[in-house]
Amino acid sequence: MEFVLYEVKGQVGIITISREKALNALNSTVLGELDQTLDNVDLDTVRCLILTGAGEKSFVAGADIGEMSTLTKAEGEAFGKKGNDVFRKLETFPIPVIAAVNGFALGGGCEISMSCDIRICSENAVFGQPEVGLGITPGFGGTQRLARLVGPGMAKQMIYTARNIKADEALRIGLVNAVYPQEELMAAAEKMASGIAKNAPIAVRNCKKAINDGLEADMDQAIAIEEKLFGDCFETEDQKYGMAFFLDKNKDKVKEPFKNV
Ligand code: CAA
């Protein structure tokens, strides 16, 4: 692929958006390659994904402004759908995705990070939805996911003012979970991803689905979603092994890796 790199380290897949000369901006080709990369992830071996950007300056500096500059209304809507479809695929991907935000996360860059399950960033990261300064709305989910993540008041302020925020403010408002020096970011992301990958894979996937689907439902439906996914874990090899391991009083035993069943 031209702009998307994919590497597997153990049970962790690392997707790198690599279009450094345009600060990893998302054009149609990048979006298509991301879509294809997700389709090609081997879910029998990979248990957690990390998404990052190439270089030390930018995660993703947004959708490609050059490509958008001449779009008609219909083409604009189609471009929004293209981005939304890929981002939704990422959001509903069966395994967790960690965004390792290594610099600018503006417009579509902030939006793609919000489609991931967890965001951590480097100290030089900058987040923002600058679209109204370009004469458009956020178009890859920003009007929806930012309000859900940081609350409508803060989301509206960020979107209406188009003001960028630095890593410490992103941490304060809950947009990211942690901030690291640039050189420590990927190691921290890989450590978190490996920690996730060690846990029972069906249970982890069911947790992601329960949280995501539950957030879109009312509490009665949400609880029913949880019950179904909780029940679904029983009789799996991992549930039987995980509980038997706890109940076994032999202190010298060593925990075996969970299997994908
Ligand atoms: N689209 C296309 N090209 C971009 C880009 C983008 N979003 N962001 C940066 N680039 C290009 C620049 O045009 C420049 O290319 P050239 O070297 O060919 O001139 C190169 O990347 C380096 O950028 P700068 O010279 O501008 O670097 P800088 O350090 O001076 O500034 C920046 C960095 C503040 C991130 C600045 O590049 C910037 O403001 N970029 C645009 C950010 C933005 O508005 N993003 C939102 C896009 S709209 C969107 O995403 C809509 C949506 O919701 C779907």
Side-chain angles (χ1 to χ4, degrees), residues 21-23 25 57 61-66 68 104 106-108 111 130-131 134 136-140:
K21 67 175 174 47
L23 302 185
K57 183 170 173 184
D64 191 293
I65 299 170
M68 287 187 294
F104 290 114
L106 300 175
E111 290 168 308
E131 286 87 350
L134 295 163
I136 56 172
T137 64
F140 290 168

Side-chain angles (χ1 to χ4, degrees), residues 14-66:
I14 304 174
I15 300 175
T16 306
I17 299 174
S18 180
R19 192 183 170 220
E20 264 190 88
K21 67 175 174 47
L23 302 185
N24 305 324
L26 303 169
N27 62 15
S28 295
T29 309
V30 179
L31 291 172
E33 289 185 6
L34 270 173
D35 193 49
Q36 222 182 311
T37 303
L38 291 174
D39 286 345
N40 290 341
V41 171
D42 178 5
L43 289 168
D44 289 332
T45 54
V46 174
R47 296 185 182 181
C48 189
L49 289 178
I50 297 171
L51 177 72
T52 194
E56 298 201 335
K57 183 170 173 184
S58 182
F59 171 67
V60 170
D64 191 293
I65 299 170

Side-chain angles (χ1 to χ4, degrees), residues 187-199:
E190 287 178 34
K191 188 171 171 210
M192 190 190 294
S194 312
I196 291 169
K198 278 198 188 75
N199 290 321

